[in-house]
Amino acid sequence: MRTRRQRFSDSTKRALVDVAERLFTEHGYSATSLDAIVAGADVTKGALYHHFSGKQAIFEAAFERVESRATSGIAHATEGHQDPWLKAQAGLRAFLEAVQEPGYRQIVISDGPSVLGHERYREQEERSTYAIVDEIVRAVLTDTEWDLDDAMLDTFTRIFFGAMSAAGGSVAVSEDASAAALRVEAAIGFILAGLQRLLEDGAEPPDPARTARATSRR
Amino acid sequence: MRTRRQRFSDSTKRALVDVAERLFTEHGYSATSLDAIVAGADVTKGALYHHFSGKQAIFEAAFERVESRATSGIAHATEGHQDPWLKAQAGLRAFLEAVQEPGYRQIVISDGPSVLGHERYREQEERSTYAIVDEIVRAVLTDTEWDLDDAMLDTFTRIFFGAMSAAGGSVAVSEDASAAALRVEAAIGFILAGLQRLLEDGAEPPDPARTARATSRR
DNA sequence: TGAGAGTACGTACTGTCGGTATGTACCTGA
DNA sequence: TCAGGTACATACCGACAGTACGTACTCTCA
């Protein structure tokens, strides 16, 4: 069991991340000073540097919190679906919801890549929202006779993840968010329908080697 | 005609943007100091602040240069194609090339959104690479009987642009870039083939209203 | 043609902010 | 009960974006 002292320490740390998340969301990373964070949490820089190694570290803590909220929201929406295509639809809808949250937009999408650096950013995403998209994409594509390899599945996940992120961004800035979300659902649903049609028709699976040959033949 | 004095002034400005682009590319926005830029260009801060309103402004100048290089590269690759589907393929290939350039990755993709802010970032993109993608997507989709409205076409452009950006990013970080690029081409080509198939089969066009009804019926 | 105005910088300084060094009260376990 | 560690607070430093002001040079126009 946690001692009294640890509980106080935990609450200090939580207060710091609370304030940090709020200020990073409202003003962005660079426009948020550590002085403002510690003032908001009613502590001093000593406390902050006791719990975190620096500004980037407390940003990452806020980042993880925002991400995990988004992830659990999407995961909750997709669970219980048997049919992978329905699961994909539910996941897409939840993703579009999550990506509209101000904290997600500012901290994860806008500041995330530049503050954490590409590498760390990707690590973080790969075990949260990206992982869910990956799971859904694999569920949809391995349920076929195409027998795609891992690299090809990864490529599809990247493409869909990027498409959904961009779509989510456009939804977030549009005047009528719900109408925009419906358009996105319709468009992606349409793309999925095309894939389904190819599947039903017994089309050849996507093959990089063939693309290469087609190219070199020019 | 430009006077001797203006020519000197222009060369100073160009030197500043040259150095800024290089340093921003190598070390990122925040790790690049104005002192380093002016030292590299062999001038002082007075000169920099004479030509630019501040750090963000000189970043934007570098940003525009990198973007316009990428844009002209893609535009050059797509011109001359009659068939919109072939044009799309050529554009995709050029896009995957452009997005691998270090300057584009660091300045446009990584630092761009957070430094310029979402709004300005989108303005910038909308009149460069995004515009080309938009043109291609419209060429492909308006060449059909689906008769999609503007908002729907925009949605498709956003989705494809996001997909291609993400795909480009994954190509850039992969160990075997050319193999990864081929996979991306195969995957997106496959998605396009699905759309083509739907078109040939005379499928119903994507319709947000129908998506809404399908949702509310649950 | 020369004097005033504006341009294209250079120099010196300031405020802010991330980070550090050091001190201190308190708790915990032996 | 006391030594050591924890959880902070305080005071300070260096880096850096931005500013104020000075200056040399150039172009224009009377």
Side-chain angles (χ1 to χ4, degrees), chain B residues 144-180:
Chain B
T144 69
E145 292 168 1
W146 288 335
D147 196 34
L148 301 175
D149 64 3
D150 241 38
M152 204 62 215
L153 288 172
D154 271 342
T155 303
F156 269 103
T157 302
R158 285 269 162 236
I159 287 173
F160 273 103
F161 187 72
M164 288 162 66
S165 297
S170 78
V171 167
V173 298
S174 68
E175 288 153 29
D176 187 347
S178 60

Side-chain angles (χ1 to χ4, degrees), chain A residues 16 24 49-50 53-54 60 71 96 101 110 146 150 178 210:
Chain A
L16 280 167
F24 283 143
Y49 275 91
H50 174 72
S53 61
E60 199 162 346
T71 303
L96 292 177
E101 200 221 338
S110 185
W146 288 334
D150 240 38
S178 60
R210 206 158 34 121

Side-chain angles (χ1 to χ4, degrees), chain B residues 5 9 12 44 46-47 50-51:
Chain B
R5 190 173 184 196
S9 173
T12 299
T44 62
H50 174 72
H51 288 288

